DNA sequence: GGCTGTCTGTGCGCTACCGTACAGATATAA
DNA sequence: TTATATCTGTACGGTAGCGCACAGACAGCC
């Protein structure tokens, strides 16, 4: 939160025409997003739509057993709360702040007013929804076919793209929850990356040293999602 | 295909108001959907939107290595080609006919004309999209945490719900492709179900004998998706 | 300083699933 | 009938990841 927050830091808000943005601005509320904050739980009626500026939010699914897995990750490239305009009002996932920062939020009711004008906002939200679908689909196959080593690389890259610098405040325990694996599995994978000089870390602070190497060690899933997202939301 | 095909066999078409349906009817084309037919490949520009009556279509992701995994399954409860109205025109997945039958299709252009009236069709498609998102998310976590045995049960139930009778024309090889596992893994899981009297099968024809048992052996994922789908699309 | 809680590293047996190989069974074609 | 392709069953070694247990490292607090 070094720079003063600005709605335009969120790519979706920045992509709106001035006309739409100016209608929305009075309803935008800047909120602090501390690590671990839960925006909503599975089944909750959504009250707001969130546009992160420098924070990152994970859409996390928690099972009956308590085991969890990340479905999608949203930063300044997206919005949290698509279920609001989809018409469902709630989802089966939890939205959890994975990297602290800030976000702009709008009351669901106000947001729907703009959405229901069936103009730019509708088009933009539809395209974003497809990007979200792509990411979820890729997560599903990645969970099926790729090793923890590869998935950790993918996950680091996804987070990195949504941050200003190359540092992530994140313990291995939390990463394990996101990936839906054991903490020890993350420790081993991170150890390998460390030995190869790709990352450095200590007590919850990860520094990426060699992004190119990270990309080469990642599975195809990162690149596929990035390419498709860039295509849908230029 | 015993009964004469009728657009109303598709739940989404049946949910439309008469006004909308009558506008759409002249553009609906009944098509045969043979097993193995590919409606579109990853990256293809979608030409039609498909509303299955008694056929079942799998949205399948195929990776660089050739390995695959099913992302979602669509029958008379849904529609294939959401990317058309989302604005992307293409997706990263393949649409494959998993159970033969028929479907009604509409040219993308005609469909978008109705969609862009921003009436019932828009609302319905948005709600369906959320149901699709729910299914994909559940698939992702299921791939991470559940055994082949459980997933086979889930998969059989999903298929069963979209068929008229309790018979599936499906080889173990094909099921393995859908689940993204080895064919031998499916053979073993199916063998267990057979020994328990839950299913019977031979050479590509599976008969479900004890649906209740199947549900009890399945992971929670089936019920979660069904409950949420019923909520979104009553 | 010492105490305590959190984070990371490591080891070990276990299981599910994979890759591979091959054999038997059943349908279709010659 | 025989031949061939397809489908299913079984076996076996290899391995990635799990559950569990515990040890060391580092930070903050008293």
């Amino acid at each position: 939160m070094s720079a003063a927050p600005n709605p335009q830091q969120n790519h979706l808000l920045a992509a709106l025409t001035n006309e739409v943005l100016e209608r929305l601005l009075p309803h935008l509320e800047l909120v602090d997003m501390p690590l671990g904050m839960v925006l909503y739980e599975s089944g909750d009626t959504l009250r707001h739509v969130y546009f992160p500026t420098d924070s990152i939010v994970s859409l996390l699914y928690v099972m009956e057993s308590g085991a969890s897995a990340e479905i999608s990750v949203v930063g300044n490239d997206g919005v949290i709360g698509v279920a609001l305009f989809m018409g469902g009002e709630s989802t089966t996932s939890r939205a959890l702040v994975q990297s602290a920062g800030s976000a702009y939020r709008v009351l669901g009711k106000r947001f729907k007013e703009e959405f229901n004008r069936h103009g730019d906002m509708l088009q933009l939200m539809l395209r974003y929804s497809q990007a979200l679908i792509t990411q979820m689909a890729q997560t599903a196959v990645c969970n099926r076919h790729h090793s923890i080593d590869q998935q950790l690389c993918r996950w680091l890259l996804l987070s990195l793209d949504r941050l200003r610098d190359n540092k992530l405040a994140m313990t291995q325990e939390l990463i394990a929850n996101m990936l839906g694996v054991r903490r020890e599995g993350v420790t081993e994978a991170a150890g390998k990356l460390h030995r190869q000089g790709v990352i450095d870390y200590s007590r919850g602070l990860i520094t990426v040293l060699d992004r190119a190497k990270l990309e080469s060690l990642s599975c195809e899933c990162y690149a596929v999602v990035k390419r498709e997202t860039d295509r849908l939301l230029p």
Side-chain angles (χ1 to χ4, degrees), chain A:
Chain A
M1 273 199 287
S2 42
N6 174 343
Q8 310 258 359
Q9 281 167 13
N10 181 282
H11 299 346
L12 294 184
L13 291 179
L16 293 170
T17 59
N18 276 341
E19 186 201 337
V20 177
L21 189 57
E22 278 172 24
R23 256 198 314 267
L24 204 60
L25 272 178
H27 306 298
L28 288 179
E29 178 191 0
L30 181 64
V31 285
D32 196 42
M33 307 270 274
L35 176 64
M37 181 187 188
V38 173
L39 302 185
Y40 55 79
E41 281 287 348
S42 168
D44 281 3
T45 299
L46 307 193
R47 303 203 58 237
H48 297 86
V49 168
Y50 293 79
F51 296 92
T53 55
D54 55 354
S55 54
I56 305 181
V57 175
S58 283
L59 302 189
L60 201 69
Y61 186 93
V62 185
M63 305 208 308
E64 288 167 5
S65 67
S68 63
E70 187 182 72
I71 297 305
S72 171
V73 48
V74 183
N76 65 349
D77 60 327
V79 60
I80 296 107
V82 297
L84 257 172
F85 60 79
M86 291 280 195
E89 307 293 330
S90 69
T91 47
T92 55
S93 58
R94 166 189 297 175
L96 178 75
V97 176
Q98 174 218 305
S99 178
S102 56
Y104 286 90
R105 72 177 186 189
V106 196
L107 263 179
K109 197 180 160 193
R110 297 274 167 262
F111 183 78
K112 277 196 279 190
E113 283 171 13
E114 181 58 42
F115 183 84
N116 287 332
R117 282 172 174 262
H118 302 316
D120 285 1
M121 185 61 97
L122 170 66
Q123 296 307 320
L124 191 64
M125 288 301 116
L126 287 182
R127 284 190 163 261
Y128 176 70
S129 298
Q130 194 185 335
L132 194 66
I133 285 176
T134 303
Q135 203 187 15
M136 289 183 173
Q138 200 72 34
T139 303
V141 288
C142 196
N143 280 351
R144 163 65 57 214
H145 292 291
H146 296 141
S147 67
I148 294 186
D149 291 4
Q150 293 175 302
Q151 293 190 48
L152 176 59
C153 293
R154 174 186 61 105
W155 191 88
L156 288 172
L157 287 166
L158 283 177
S159 298
L160 216 52
D161 284 350
R162 289 160 179 78
L163 288 172
R164 287 223 195 76
D165 56 11
N166 61 340
K167 295 188 199 316
L168 290 94
M170 202 69 196
T171 66
Q172 299 183 351
E173 176 86 45
L174 291 177
I175 296 178
N177 286 340
M178 301 295 168
L179 297 183
V181 300
R182 282 184 321 153
R183 194 267 312 163
E184 292 89 332
V186 174
T187 300
E188 270 193 66
K192 288 185 202 168
L193 291 179
H194 188 208
R195 267 168 259 138
Q196 293 176 85
V198 179
I199 64 172
D200 199 356
Y201 59 93
S202 85
R203 296 187 72 75
L205 188 67
I206 302 172
T207 309
V208 175
L209 304 172
D210 186 345
R211 184 182 165 120
K213 190 75 176 287
L214 201 55
E215 290 187 17
S216 75
L217 291 172
S218 168
C219 47
E220 70 200 74
C221 302
Y222 166 71
V224 169
V225 168
K226 181 156 175 53
R227 198 184 320 128
E228 183 72 357
T229 303
D230 289 347
R231 181 180 80 85
L232 292 167
L233 303 163

